[in-house]
Amino acid sequence: MEPVTLTTERLELRAPTDADVDAITQACQDPDIARWTTVPSPYARTDAEDFVRLVEGWWVDGSETTWALRRDGELVGMIGLHRIRRSGNGGDAEIGFWVTDAARGQGYVVEAATAVVDWGFGELGLSRIEWRAIAGNVPSALTARALGFRYEGRLRQAFASGDRREDSWIAGLLRDDDRTPAPWPVLG
């Protein structure tokens, strides 16, 4: 599939390119991005170069769709639908995102994620989108709740290296769900 550009009131979402490598590298120096996501740590410029190449391949094979979030041409974050699985019932994917330190608290992720979720349900025909975060990532949970995701529980996961285990929160959104934020348990 060809990369798709999405536009919201304040943002342009399009696949990251080589022109974004330095901005991605800089953003991923933020300890919070390393703490709450799966980006390598420490994060080197070669990691960003590899990421941009991977994104291109994911779009081509349809396994993932990843967008750079731009506000007035400046990179403010990254968002994507990961592990896209299509099936007779429409299929499913997992949404993931990060935002730069300077852009936090401005509603960019909710704005971008609304467009991505709408696109996933509409254009890809997905029936379910899942959100996961390392337990304790309250800002990500608040974003998922604002999008209408329904909290489903905790999941104990082991990472590929085998030396790190963490609990994750998990929530889901079905195509026909009412997206009004529903109560979640106290997270922390």
Side-chain angles (χ1 to χ4, degrees):
M1 129 175 63
E2 289 293 316
V4 172
T5 298
L6 302 175
T7 305
T8 70
E9 183 179 330
R10 302 178 294 164
L11 302 170
E12 178 187 61
L13 287 67
R14 67 179 159 80
T17 68
D18 289 336
D20 298 309
V21 166
D22 289 333
I24 293 167
T25 304
Q26 180 60 38
C28 290
Q29 302 310 303
D30 179 351
D32 282 337
I33 291 176
R35 177 180 180 193
W36 300 117
T37 71
T38 60
V39 301
S41 181
Y43 196 91
R45 189 174 199 286
T46 55
D47 295 315
E49 292 167 342
D50 292 343
F51 173 70
V52 168
R53 278 193 294 280
L54 285 169
V55 167
E56 183 179 337
W58 295 333
W59 273 101
V60 169
D61 70 21
S63 63
E64 298 199 17
T65 56
T66 300
W67 293 269
L69 283 61
R70 291 182 181 77
R71 166 73 189 217
D72 298 326
E74 179 183 342
L75 181 85
V76 296
M78 204 67 61
I79 192 166
L81 292 174
H82 310 291
R83 291 186 280 289
I84 297 171
R85 293 177 298 210
R86 298 188 187 201
S87 66
N89 70 354
D92 58 81
E94 180 182 335
I95 193 166
F97 45 80
W98 56 256
V99 66
T100 62
D101 183 42
R104 289 188 188 126
Q106 298 180 45
Y108 294 142
V109 175
V110 171
E111 184 176 327
T114 298
V116 168
V117 166
D118 289 346
W119 183 83
F121 286 142
E123 297 301 316
L124 290 182
L126 298 174
S127 57
R128 174 182 158 79
I129 298 176
E130 183 175 279
W131 163 89
R132 291 179 188 213
I134 296 171
N137 190 345
V138 174
S140 185
L142 293 173
T143 298
R145 183 182 179 278
L147 293 164
F149 280 77
R150 302 302 188 245
Y151 182 78
E152 297 172 350
R154 289 176 87 113
L155 176 69
R156 183 83 168 158
Q157 70 183 35
F159 291 84
S161 65
D163 62 349
R164 195 169 131 211
R165 294 174 125 20
E166 302 224 4
D167 283 351
S168 291
W169 293 327
I170 186 168
L173 184 64
L174 300 176
R175 180 181 323 151
D176 297 325
D177 278 351
D178 173 5
R179 295 198 199 168
T180 304
W184 280 31
V186 176
L187 302 174

